[in-house]
Amino acid sequence: MVVFPPKQSDNPMFIHENFLLSNKAAERLYHDYAAVQPIIDYHNHLSPQAMAENSSFQNLYHMWVDGDHYKWRAMRANGVDERYCTGDAPPHEKFSAFAATVPRTLRNPIYHWTHLELKRFFNCDTLLDSDSAETIWNEANRQLVERRELTPLGILQQFQVKALCTTDDPVDDLGYHRQLQHAARMGDCQTLVLPAFRPDQALRVNDPVEYLSWIKRLEQASDTSIGGLDDLKSALKKRHDFFHEMGGRLSDHGCEYVPANFCDDQTADRIFRQALSGQAASPIELEQFSTELLLFLARLDAEKGWTNQFHTGVWRNNNRRLFSAAGRDIGCDSIADTPQGFSLGRFLDRLDQEGNLPKTIVYNLNPSDNYLVATMLGNFQDGRIAGKMQFGSGWWFLDQKEGMQWQLNTLSNTGLLSRFIGMLTDSRSFMSMPRHEYFRRILCDMLGRELEAGEIPNDFGLVGKMVADICYQNAKDFLGLPMA
């Protein structure tokens, strides 16, 4: 029995069945067409090990707060010491510090996410703050012990996640994916869990020490001696082939911008050999080498019918003090204003001229570049694959209401919203699955407003089908995952 008492407020039921739905048409679109759709979470950073082991979470902190750089940014802004973010404070104290921050996040998406997640996982209608923190901590931890569905695989089943694609280094042996596939054959895993190829480390010729260490791991994983560029490409192709055998159908690249500083093979080989000898690539050399390798990897994707993803428009690790103390992915990254369009167009054009342009998704972090990126992608739709070039969902700082609306409007105004493959979590937390619900409510509210205003037809068969397609069917058709 859930014992959360609602706090006294003007609206104690903050998360209710029509949350974010401001009109009757939106309510109908959401409840009849969106909410009933399963989920394909085709890009996230969830742990294959956690899914394979499927153990209960230790406590609410480990399930919800640990590793969440969104929460850490908010806590720092609220004057919370780093010890309670990435430091060594006990889990209960870290959770309490986050709980004390939540009331200060009004109008930040964290406030919506926090209470939507508490409601969906623990049926909690209590607003989280310092006063309610202990009750929520105790009751949630009790449920974590008693409810079997609050395990990684149980959560995926609860949210009807039909397929999920993790983010994996080419050197990974995918052993946990093998365990998950075995569990699926035995009927113990209802979600198709697949790897996605993330070869960012292969580009880092500007950091020879870290790079050489990774190359040695690639040599071992691919059973290839790597002394030059051709060897590197051969090793990466072997791993790409292996990921394909394991069901992988997507690659992914995180970059400030898609480079297009073309060079010949000899130049790229020289840059690579210099890195192996300990000489860091210059910025121009890094751009040249990255261009050559990303073209090669895109050709592999095209050959196998994969989807190539680019996450662009970000400046990472800006706070060197915190980076030195705690490392990457701790909430010290920001939107970049690096020019995007010209190099993206040249890169895509080179592949298109060769006949090697794969299905492509570009996620843009800088909203001022939305129309630029969307219209550039539209230049390379080929009339053979519907929605081949996808302007990806709002991500990172834009995976909130306004950012999603910007992305949806940009895509609608420059392309075909009806061919959009929808939302993803891009998260390291299993408690982020309600992000799909959040997106679906925002989508339905937008369309419902326009339907009631007469801007689109009052035809629920037409509009409802588009909603259902965006929420599930388009991704299923487009990605070509090895689903039953």
Side-chain angles (χ1 to χ4, degrees):
M1 176 181 176
V2 179
V3 296
F4 292 113
K7 284 195 67 177
Q8 295 301 313
S9 69
D10 292 336
N11 183 14
M13 296 293 289
F14 176 50
I15 305 298
H16 53 85
E17 65 176 1
N18 292 322
F19 176 62
L20 297 181
L21 305 176
S22 63
N23 55 81
K24 293 298 182 183
E27 293 172 13
R28 182 174 172 185
L29 287 171
Y30 176 72
H31 293 297
D32 291 353
Y33 296 96
V36 296
Q37 298 303 318
I39 289 172
I40 296 178
D41 197 42
Y42 55 91
H43 173 72
N44 61 72
H45 299 273
L46 294 178
S47 165
Q49 179 177 357
M51 287 182 276
E53 295 175 350
N54 200 33
S55 300
S56 299
F57 296 95
Q58 296 179 44
N59 52 53
L60 185 57
Y61 166 79
H62 288 292
M63 182 184 190
W64 197 31
V65 182
D66 189 18
D68 192 330
H69 54 84
Y70 291 90
K71 293 181 174 67
W72 293 337
R73 282 177 72 95
M75 292 163 69
R76 292 181 190 121
N78 197 40
V80 174
D81 188 85
E82 192 65 24
R83 180 169 180 260
Y84 300 95
C85 300
T86 62
D88 61 358
H92 185 210
E93 293 182 19
K94 288 184 174 182
F95 169 78
S96 297
F98 169 64
T101 298
V102 168
R104 298 289 186 175
T105 67
L106 277 172
R107 298 205 80 244
N108 184 295
I110 288 175
Y111 199 83
H112 279 174
W113 299 337
T114 293
H115 294 98
L116 184 62
E117 290 160 5
L118 285 174
K119 177 66 174 178
R120 293 295 172 255
F121 283 87
F122 303 107
N123 196 28
C124 174
D125 291 312
T126 304
L127 300 181
L128 179 59
D129 58 22
S130 292
D131 293 336
S132 63
E134 195 66 18
T135 298
I136 290 175
W137 171 264
N138 291 332
E139 174 59 20
N141 287 340
R142 184 191 67 78
Q143 291 191 39
L144 287 175
V145 172
E146 295 182 1
R147 293 172 54 201
R148 181 59 185 169
E149 68 269 26
L150 293 179
T151 61
L153 295 185
I155 289 168
L156 300 183
Q157 185 172 352
Q158 175 185 346
F159 285 88
Q160 297 188 73
V161 182
K162 295 297 183 182
L164 182 148
C165 301
T166 59
T167 303
D168 306 279
D169 193 300
V171 303
D172 197 307
D173 66 5
L174 304 184
Y176 293 114
H177 286 86
R178 289 189 185 278
Q179 293 182 36
L180 287 163
Q181 291 176 8
H182 176 75
R185 289 192 296 270
M186 296 296 102
D188 297 326
C189 178
Q190 306 303 312
T191 300
L192 178 68
V193 181
L194 302 170
F197 197 73
R198 180 73 176 248
D200 289 0
Q201 294 280 6
L203 307 181
R204 292 180 178 156
V205 288
N206 59 326
D207 186 351
V209 175
E210 183 178 342
Y211 193 63
L212 184 57
S213 174
W214 183 82
I215 289 293
K216 290 178 178 178
R217 294 174 63 201
L218 179 62
E219 286 183 320
Q220 183 175 7
S222 64
D223 193 23
T224 302
S225 178
I226 300 175
L229 180 64
D230 287 344
D231 300 328
L232 174 63
K233 290 180 176 180
S234 176
L236 288 170
K237 184 178 186 308
K238 287 181 181 179
R239 301 308 295 167
H240 197 277
D241 291 344
F242 172 61
F243 272 58
H244 189 82
E245 292 170 6
M246 293 293 292
R249 296 295 182 269
L250 295 98
S251 65
D252 182 43
H253 310 283
C255 45
E256 184 179 331
Y257 59 95
V258 178
N261 192 337
F262 306 112
C263 67
D264 55 33
D265 289 346
Q266 291 75 21
T267 300
D269 183 64
R270 173 183 57 77
I271 296 168
F272 178 68
R273 290 177 184 273
Q274 287 176 177
L276 292 186
S277 68
Q279 179 178 336
S282 69
I284 291 177
E285 289 174 328
L286 174 62
E287 191 175 58
Q288 290 175 318
F289 182 78
S290 297
T291 302
E292 172 63 23
L293 208 58
L294 287 171
L295 287 171
F296 168 74
L297 293 165
R299 293 170 187 134
L300 295 182
D301 291 344
E303 180 184 11
K304 294 187 177 71
W306 281 26
T307 300
N308 189 4
Q309 303 172 94
F310 285 105
H311 288 78
T312 67
V314 58
W315 282 332
R316 298 177 186 270
N317 307 313
N318 295 281
N319 188 320
R320 288 182 291 175
R321 175 182 58 81
L322 281 177
F323 177 74
S324 297
R328 293 187 174 91
D329 303 320
I330 60 166
C332 296
D333 312 301
S334 65
I335 291 171
D337 62 358
T338 308
Q340 298 277 348
F342 182 69
S343 61
L344 174 62
R346 292 183 69 208
F347 183 89
L348 298 176
D349 186 58
R350 173 64 66 91
L351 292 168
D352 185 70
Q353 288 188 63
E354 299 173 357
N356 287 322
L357 181 61
K359 293 179 292 185
T360 300
I361 308 171
V362 177
Y363 309 92
N364 170 53
L365 192 58
N366 189 337
S368 66
D369 288 334
N370 276 357
Y371 275 81
L372 183 154
V373 172
T375 54
M376 183 57 72
L377 291 171
N379 295 328
F380 297 95
Q381 303 286 13
D382 65 6
R384 291 176 291 180
I385 300 174
K388 176 178 178 177
M389 309 301 292
Q390 289 275 328
F391 179 49
S393 62
W395 72 292
W396 207 332
F397 296 109
L398 302 182
D399 62 352
Q400 30 78 6
K401 183 180 178 182
E402 188 174 50
M404 291 178 191
Q405 291 171 336
W406 287 337
Q407 186 269 343
L408 291 168
N409 281 326
T410 300
L411 178 54
S412 299
N413 289 329
T414 63
L416 299 180
L417 177 63
S418 60
R419 289 296 185 181
F420 179 41
I421 63 171
M423 189 56 180
L424 44 90
T425 62
D426 191 30
S427 178
R428 292 167 175 80
S429 170
F430 288 92
M431 280 189 70
S432 293
M433 280 302 151
R435 297 279 177 90
H436 287 271
E437 175 186 345
Y438 192 65
F439 165 80
R440 292 174 181 188
R441 288 177 179 272
I442 291 165
L443 171 68
C444 291
D445 186 67
M446 177 182 288
L447 294 173
R449 288 173 182 267
E450 294 174 355
L451 190 153
E452 293 201 347
E455 296 178 21
I456 58 177
N458 186 14
D459 183 338
F460 283 90
L462 174 66
V463 183
K465 182 182 186 305
M466 182 169 75
V467 167
D469 286 347
I470 292 170
C471 292
Y472 177 72
Q473 193 63 43
N474 285 350
K476 183 176 184 292
D477 294 342
F478 180 83
L479 297 172
L481 304 179
M483 302 174 67

